[in-house]
Amino acid sequence: MPLPQTEASGPEPHRPQEPAEPHTPAQGARRASSEDAPGAGHEGSRPGLGTLRRAFSRASQRASVRAPRGDARLLRLSGRFLFGSLRRTPDNGPAGDQTGSTSEPGPACGRKGSSKAKEGVSRRSSTREGPAEAEGTSVADLISERQLLAAFEQLRHLETGLVAEKASCTFQQDPTGFARRAMDVCLHYDGLAAEIGAIVRETLGPDGVDAAALEELARVVRAEEEAHPEPPADGDFLRTPRRWRQYWEDAVRRSAEERVRQAGAGEAPGAADAAPDLARLLAELGALVRRDLQKVQREVHPAYAAAGFPAWEAYLRAFHGAVARRLQELAHDARGCEQLYVLLDWVANVYSSPDFLGSQDQALPSEPLPPLLAPEVWARLEDDYTSFLETKISSCFDGILQLEQSRWAAADAPDVLQGLYHTSLSFDVCMLVAEHVKAAGAISAELEATTLGICARALGLFLQKYEKAFLESGAVSEPNLCASINACQELRTHLLAKFPESFGELEKALGAAARAFQKQLLQGLQSAVQPLFRVLCTKAWLTQDLLQPLMDKVVAFSGLLEHMAPPLAQETLQEVHRYVVREYLEQALRPRERLRGADRRSGSQKMGLEAQAISSTFQGLGSEATWLGQAIPCVADILGETYKDDIGRHLETLIKSYPDIRRDHVLAILALRRLGRRRNQHFLRHAQALLRAAAKAGGSGAAGGRVLFEEIELSTSIDVLVTCI
């Protein structure tokens, strides 16, 4: 039934200014009652302009609170178009969607007859009357009450009728009428979509999960997909798919982004000392993500699953992407070794842990999730971390050296642990390496290998600094030297055995440091016994026991080796054994006095006896250098041999036992006998043949670690003596 013209032409011109000010539901109701009261008896069950405006005002206010910025803007835009379409056209004609009412022809259209007006009424009635409208509930009210499926069915009914009218050429004379009414339907679709976004945003809020609303949401999305399976062939925008599933996924992503942003709001992890703050931020972020995903797992997903809607994977991917973007920002601001490690460790061991979500019975995503940090970002973080780590480890080694220097300055004697002299050096170094290698290995195997290389290089430099600082300090004592040698052995045992590939090159550095300390230890013994060697092989020596004081000092020194690690103690004892034999031979080959006749024979016998004494003493101390036992006896046999042709046999034994002997040593030995020029040349040629054969066979004493004659230096007086011979 058409409304009287006075009702339609009253306040209508002033309505364009009304939407400029937001209205509360109460204001909308009061204004609508004053405007629509005259026509209330004629509109029946169809909602008039006031009803639509009140409903849309309620929906707009609810959505403005719940919906994000994009949805609220969408509703404001929808309202502007909706109210504009409900008002009169510029020629005082009725708006296309003023439900169930027409106006009398104005001055510009008075000759038009009432048939077209009745056709308009019948058209609008046929399009607007859906199942819900028959009950007196508008689409806007249904949306505001979150009866999404009923609202969609009503909009679908309106859409179907409108498409049918268009197909019947009803709008051939009024194409803009179809456009206005189609736009109204589309805007109501947009309002419904905005309500979907608001529901998604509220899902993870503090008010709990509305399972009925989620199920309704899932059903309306599926219903829309069934109603609009694909774009129409004629390009009709009214029947274009609304893609609400994609809109729902976008809303889920926005919701996850907002939730992730709530963690650590106001933190400033870029500060130099902000590693604890970054750790707290990541802990808060992890707790929030875990709590939200567990909520999705237990409450949200079952509600969607009831309508056959896959929500778990969508939320999982949304939170994964939001956390990834947040970490990208944190990675850009991270500074210092601690912050970088905290970030790497959280990604590798906290977020990626299978226990992050607790007991999970949900299926894994159909496609693997992308890396939380892009490969190039991860590589940059590792590079920055290793750069800081190299500096940190170097400073830690400097701290260990300072600790040792303070102990030296205090003149503290080393501790005895399990019978061995002990310093905390090896323990500190092993703990330092193990701590950083373990931390790096928890992140990745590549970072562990890189850290091992950094530790190996830093330890090599540290050994050089430690050796120099210790030997230049005033704390060089026999116990401290033994403790340092033991520390080198412990490092070799632990580090090289555990990390052979990374610390293999340190074998030489550790061996060099141990030999330097060992050499310093032996120098103390050598300075004590060196004067005792000078009286050997003299005429006074023939009648006195001058070897015993020397051996007493050797036995006393061996007591120190009981507190040294067994491998190095044996090596040091063999060095002492070799030193004693070498010095004895050097005194014999460079005699201060010439022994002739009976003195020479007595000297030969005494050398044999003292050779046995030296061998038995070192054998009793545990020396395994049995190869040293033939050197002094061979020289003694040559010195006292009465059958001169057997001298060649003794030389052969000597050269085969000690391939490092040289021609000068043979000449010095022959000079002890004064055999004459011809016999000396004979023995010398025989000796040179043996030396060439030994060299050809590759029998180098140095190669086997058996160096004796090579370290015996002969004076120029021997050359003069040989020349004289």
Side-chain angles (χ1 to χ4, degrees), residues 207-407:
D207 297 335
V209 176
D210 188 349
L214 298 183
E215 184 176 353
E216 183 89 357
L217 186 155
R219 293 185 184 281
V220 77
V221 171
R222 292 173 63 89
E224 192 279 330
E225 290 176 340
E226 294 174 358
H228 307 121
E230 57 185 12
D234 57 357
D236 185 4
F237 70 93
L238 191 61
R239 292 178 293 152
T240 300
R242 306 293 165 178
R243 305 190 185 281
W244 283 349
R245 185 182 294 268
Q246 180 64 42
Y247 182 81
W248 172 79
E249 292 177 355
D250 293 341
V252 169
R253 281 192 289 270
R254 288 194 299 270
S255 175
E257 189 77 29
E258 292 176 1
R259 296 289 297 172
V260 167
R261 290 289 172 184
Q262 293 178 9
E267 294 282 352
D273 56 347
D277 294 335
L278 179 60
R280 285 194 296 270
L281 187 152
L282 291 175
E284 183 180 347
L285 175 61
L288 184 144
V289 172
R290 185 186 301 110
R291 184 169 58 249
D292 283 355
L293 286 179
Q294 287 176 347
K295 185 176 183 180
V296 171
Q297 198 176 52
R298 297 167 184 169
E299 303 179 46
V300 178
H301 177 75
Y304 280 110
F309 209 67
W312 167 248
E313 182 172 348
Y315 271 97
L316 186 62
R317 290 188 178 278
F319 271 98
H320 185 79
V323 171
R325 287 185 289 274
R326 184 72 175 117
L327 288 180
Q328 292 276 3
E329 299 173 359
L330 295 176
H332 183 269
D333 297 332
R335 297 291 183 273
C337 185
E338 288 76 13
Q339 285 194 36
L340 290 167
Y341 182 80
V342 165
L343 194 60
L344 291 170
D345 179 67
W346 191 86
V347 174
N349 300 318
V350 178
Y351 184 83
S352 301
S353 170
D355 300 328
F356 181 70
L357 297 179
S359 58
Q360 180 187 161
D361 54 359
Q362 296 292 341
L364 295 175
S366 56
E367 297 181 2
L369 295 173
L372 197 59
L373 291 175
E376 60 274 10
V377 176
W378 180 267
R380 180 181 63 80
L381 289 177
E382 283 193 342
D383 290 343
D384 293 345
Y385 172 71
T386 53
S387 297
F388 284 109
L389 183 65
E390 194 165 359
T391 304
K392 180 180 179 181
I393 290 178
S394 178
S395 65
C396 289
F397 276 116
D398 291 341
I400 294 175
L401 180 58
Q402 292 175 2
L403 184 64
E404 289 294 314
Q405 288 175 329
S406 64
R407 187 177 62 81

Side-chain angles (χ1 to χ4, degrees), residues 156-203:
R156 177 63 177 155
H157 175 77
L158 295 173
E159 175 191 324
T160 303
L162 198 56
V163 170
E165 290 187 48
K166 179 182 178 183
S168 63
C169 301
T170 304
F171 294 99
Q172 189 171 6
Q173 299 298 326
D174 188 15
T176 59
F178 171 78
R180 286 194 304 272
R181 293 168 59 187
M183 181 61 69
D184 288 341
V185 173
C186 291
L187 291 175
H188 279 87
Y189 274 135
D190 292 343
L192 204 154
E195 194 66 24
I196 290 175
I199 293 174
V200 170
R201 188 166 183 266
E202 294 173 1
T203 298

Side-chain angles (χ1 to χ4, degrees), residues 42-111:
H42 300 284
E43 289 182 356
S45 62
R46 301 194 196 102
L49 175 60
T51 303
L52 285 174
R53 292 186 61 184
R54 285 194 302 276
F56 195 81
S57 176
R58 290 195 297 272
S60 299
Q61 289 178 355
R62 291 184 58 189
S64 65
V65 175
R66 293 188 303 265
R69 184 179 301 175
D71 295 343
R73 183 168 174 240
L74 178 62
L75 281 175
R76 289 196 298 269
L77 182 63
S78 302
R80 187 161 61 248
F81 279 105
L82 180 60
F83 293 153
S85 62
L86 287 172
R87 299 190 187 100
R88 291 180 176 275
T89 57
D91 58 354
N92 293 330
D97 54 340
Q98 184 168 338
T99 308
S101 65
T102 59
S103 60
E104 294 294 331
C109 53
R111 296 184 298 272

Side-chain angles (χ1 to χ4, degrees), residues 136 161-162 182 186 236 345 433 450-451 615 648 659 697 700:
L162 198 56
C186 291
D236 185 4
D345 179 67
V433 173
T450 303
T451 303
S615 296
S700 173

